[in-house]
Amino acid sequence: MKKLHVPSWVTLLLRNSKSRLGLGILLGILLLAAIGPYFAAKDPNAFSLLDARQAPSWHHLFGTTDQGSDIFAQVSVGARRSLLLGIAAATLATGVATIVGVLAAYAGGIVDDALNSLINIFLVLPPIPLLVVVSGFLKSRGLWTMVLALGLVLWAFEARILRSQALSLRNRDFVNAAKASGEPTRRIIFGELMPNMTSRIAAAWVLVFYISLLTDAGLEFLGLGQLDKPSWGVTLYWAQTNSAVLQGEWWSFVFPGAAIALTVIGLVLLLSGIDEVSNPRLRAEKTRHSFFARMRYALMGGRVAPHAEAS
Amino acid sequence: MSAAATPERSELEVRGLRKEFAVGGGLFTRERVHAVDDVSFTLKPGRVTALVGESGSGKSTVARLLLRLYEPSGGSVLYDGRDITSNRGRGATLDYRSKVQMIFQDPFDSLNPVKTIHHHLARPLAVHKIVPGKKIDERVNELLDTVGLVPPEKFAAKYPHELSGGQRQRVSIARALAVEPTVVVADEPTSMLDVSIRIGILNLILELKEQHGLAFLYVTHDLASARYVADDVLVMYAGQIVEQGPIDDVLESPRHPYTQLLLSAVPDPSLEAEARVELSTGQQTAAIDPTAGCRFRARCPLAIQICGEVTPQLVDQGGGRAARCHVTAPA
Amino acid sequence: MTVSLIDTPGSTGSARSSETLIEVRGLRVEYGIERPVRAVDGVDLDIRAGEIVGLAGESGCGKTTVANAILQVLRPPGHIVGGSIRFRGQEIAGLDEESLRKFRWRNVSMVFQSAMNALNPVLRVGAQFVDMMQAHERISKKDALKRAGDLLEIVGIDRRRVDSYPHQLSGGMRQRVIIAMALALEPELVIMDEPTTALDVVIQREILQQIQDLQRERGFAVLFITHDLSLLMEVADRIAIMYAGEAVELSAASELRTNPQHPYTVGLIESFPPLTGPRMRLTGIPGTPPDLGEPQVGCRFKARCPYHDPNDAKLYDRQNTERPVLREIAPAHFVACHRVEAGT
């Protein structure tokens, strides 16, 4: 049988136990989004007072809302929208942040001053009023309006961080060496500089993804959201509005909350794998040292060795 | 690189090179530091010229100017008789970059931590089309062989953090050699290496000079290592060349008081304690907005009145020697 | 455990006695527990009052680790796994935090390699002195600042610099500041870890002169750690050479200059190109130090030693299997080398 050619980064991602776990979790979430709705076979927006406020049961796996909608349906159908929102907003914000940050750092001079000012202006603008203004500006409502709004608010923060990382990399001798070798600027930026920023860019992406998912609920309050389209944020919104906590209806916020949390945990675990792929120094051989031995060592302030000999 | 090829008669000549930087932040700063001021020298094939000075002397700036990592504020750099500072086109710059290369000081900083050694050597080969694509691997191995990193296949696959400082510096040298330059600028290539490793790198430089007829500019603060590798020496202070000549002559009978100071400061256990020149402590005259007069006067035991009024010129004293001092090398 | 010796403010040792201040025996230090690297493997060292002991070696030989162990400032994952360190007969290694705090800086202080690492960039110089002094004794801020000014003058800096921030001082001045700080409580021993390596050669010369003058005046002992052996031979009374975590040679500086015995010492001395005399090709020392993460057998220098020759079967065998031990081959001259021992 012909051997499958697997790129080395895939192997590395799978070899790292943390990223393996992360990939597993994400796969689970994606599965939920893909086939969950068929499994639920219920309309997430169904209005049925008879079924309202039911705790999880075989009939309603995740219970029902105050309106009688099946939460499992909401979470699984909502997964698609939430994930799409998160991915799109994260990609937009991180993309812009990377372009602006790296450009500012590499070009220097007036370009840097101008872009830096732009970043600072956006940082200073209070996010909520900005969102309100944007929502008033954009007549339509919908997923893409939200993506745009989120991207607009969240890019500047990361741009500043990426710019400073790019600045410190630009002054390193290996960049000068590439220049002295005659490498064209474009290749220096993409081939030499940015591979050193992969970890940070990935982390930025995950952060924006996370914020987007959380803000989803907040956007409803600002009138930017669409309450009729199910998403994790919408389910959380309704749980909040209906005082689910006070009522003891834990199922209406725990499940969507867990969905968000699990997704982000999966991504964060994946990040450690990405770190290893992008930074060869982290690809160390690991030895099997017991968890307790390591804990004890850490707690002792590193003074007592596990195997110290008597003086 | 064929050792049998006759070295081209190309020289790198620097005339009146100047570089000024603005000092301090703010849009309206007026202060300028004259990092490099009226520097002239020639690098000839098969000879190592040492550029000696302390930090702040401008020696590293000269090195980077030669590599066109900075643009000069004045003066010219002539390669093969042509002024390259007027080069604007990418083609011409690329051509220059295939002739003049650099070895950087920090062995770790000068290699990209996320790229293999193979990448570092293959890129210059590809950019300058030194060999066709399918021959790149072979040439990479040859280069690693030349600098003593054997077996080359093993080293090519490694990442910088897997190599020792000395090995990384050899990779830097191999990278510089990849484009088949005629001039190599070595910016303190051994100062961050362990003592016992330094000689190996210096011997490699000597070998490259002798067998491949390369011209070297060896930038350093260490006179002893300069003497080991170099034929000629240029002594820099506060942006200016204060003395130059064949290195053994200069070290034996230094004319400029700063050269004498440097010589006496080097630890040499064979030297008797009394033979050391008495050091006068005092502020180093900054090269910031320099006024007329000698920049070394504040520390100079020989300073006379004219030293505070007229900037001394570099005076030719025959036998390739020159010094910039009213007292020991009057015009 | 009360330690009476440490409560007394450090004496300046005006009488140049030959009493032993520091006695290190069989020191073993490891880094990490996953795959421990034994950075120091059985080092013996004595430092007597008023003397300058040089500790020479290249990166990874363990010299900085020894210094940090003496002052008990080893950073995790570094920890002492064996041996003893005594100050005036008192064991340091097991001391409680309070006694250690008193011990540090009063009895033994340290000058670090990079002043910018030791100085807080956002505090004025004077404030840092005050902080340090008030940590060790009851002293008013005014008095502490005055003392700080005195100390700056002692190291040749204008006392008004007490108000400067570290970045406003030149590299050489910063180094003098931390030397002044190390001397503030008049310790008996000052450990200097590459105090001049980051400085230009002329400034280095000035600082060294300063250190020598101060040492002569105040009589403190110095443990001078550096890779620059030629510097040590000028400055030190006794020199210990370290290689791969062991001490391989120990003798008076003058003796080491004229009669180095260990092949590593010889190789190291010959790695310094001479400024005068005939020009000749040097060889340095081929190869690299061993990986201390791997268990070491026999002589650690054998891979790079010119006398490691299978033709000399008996010696070869011994080098491969038996670890050399420091032996006195001449008065006060110790060498850890099988070949030297055999008297070849």
Side-chain angles (χ1 to χ4, degrees), chain C residues 15-263:
Chain C
R16 237 184 180 217
S17 55
S18 58
E19 55 171 326
T20 308
L21 288 181
I22 292 275
E23 206 180 79
V24 176
R25 290 283 176 271
L27 181 64
R28 283 187 288 278
V29 179
E30 279 180 6
Y31 282 88
I33 51 162
E34 301 259 331
R35 245 199 316 168
V37 172
R38 188 163 285 195
V40 176
D41 198 356
V43 164
D44 295 348
L45 186 66
D46 282 352
I47 303 173
R48 294 189 272 274
E51 73 169 338
I52 303 182
V53 174
L55 193 54
E58 297 176 296
S59 51
C61 71
K63 55 194 196 297
T64 300
T65 308
V66 167
N68 287 345
I70 292 177
L71 212 50
Q72 296 286 300
V73 290
L74 276 175
R75 259 233 179 101
H79 47 268
I80 299 178
V81 297
S84 81
I85 303 174
R86 292 181 199 277
F87 177 77
R88 289 180 178 278
Q90 197 87 40
E91 178 63 48
I92 301 292
L95 277 187
D96 57 295
E97 267 306 319
E98 187 55 28
S99 310
L100 258 186
R101 201 178 60 77
K102 293 196 192 131
F103 164 72
R104 289 189 194 119
W105 232 253
R106 281 174 159 248
N107 300 97
V108 180
S109 70
M110 189 142 153
V111 173
F112 296 90
Q113 176 168 355
S114 167
M116 277 324 268
N117 284 347
L119 291 174
N120 188 336
V122 300
L123 285 180
R124 293 181 205 270
V125 166
Q128 303 195 40
F129 273 95
V130 170
D131 263 352
M132 181 256 296
M133 288 187 234
Q134 287 185 331
H136 282 94
E137 52 189 46
R138 291 191 166 293
I139 182 171
S140 72
K141 188 162 166 204
K142 188 155 148 269
D143 288 337
L145 275 176
K146 179 172 177 305
R147 276 263 291 278
D150 293 339
L151 286 164
L152 286 183
E153 285 189 333
I154 286 169
V155 293
I157 298 180
D158 189 319
R159 68 182 306 129
R160 287 169 298 176
R161 290 295 199 161
V162 153
D163 290 328
S164 299
Y165 285 96
H167 67 268
Q168 295 172 315
L169 305 174
S170 71
M173 289 170 87
R174 287 197 288 261
Q175 209 66 14
R176 286 180 216 248
V177 167
I178 60 172
I179 290 173
M181 285 179 87
L183 295 176
L185 300 178
E186 298 181 8
E188 297 178 77
L189 168 65
V190 181
I191 303 178
M192 302 199 179
D193 189 357
E194 306 264 19
T196 56
T197 302
L199 302 172
D200 282 330
V201 81
V202 176
I203 311 289
Q204 179 174 282
R205 176 57 54 191
E206 290 176 9
I207 302 284
L208 277 178
Q209 259 182 358
Q210 186 88 76
I211 293 175
Q212 284 177 295
D213 291 341
L214 285 168
Q215 197 268 343
R216 258 193 298 269
E217 267 170 55
R218 287 154 183 269
F220 52 84
V222 176
L223 178 62
F224 199 110
I225 300 172
T226 180
H227 65 270
D228 193 340
L229 190 53
S230 53
L231 205 89
L232 277 185
M233 297 215 276
E234 279 191 29
V235 155
D237 299 319
R238 285 190 307 131
I239 299 178
I241 310 278
M242 279 189 73
Y243 183 78
E246 301 176 317
V248 297
E249 187 157 5
L250 182 56
S251 83
S254 49
E255 170 80 359
L256 201 72
R257 189 187 314 152
T258 51
N259 187 26
Q261 286 295 313
H262 196 283

Side-chain angles (χ1 to χ4, degrees), chain B residues 55 194 196 227-228 230 276, chain C residues 58-59 200 234 277 279 282:
Chain B
S55 59
D194 273 336
S196 60
R227 184 185 178 232
Y228 186 72
R276 297 202 178 282
Chain C
E58 297 176 296
S59 51
D200 282 330
E234 279 191 29
R279 291 179 80 155
L282 301 173

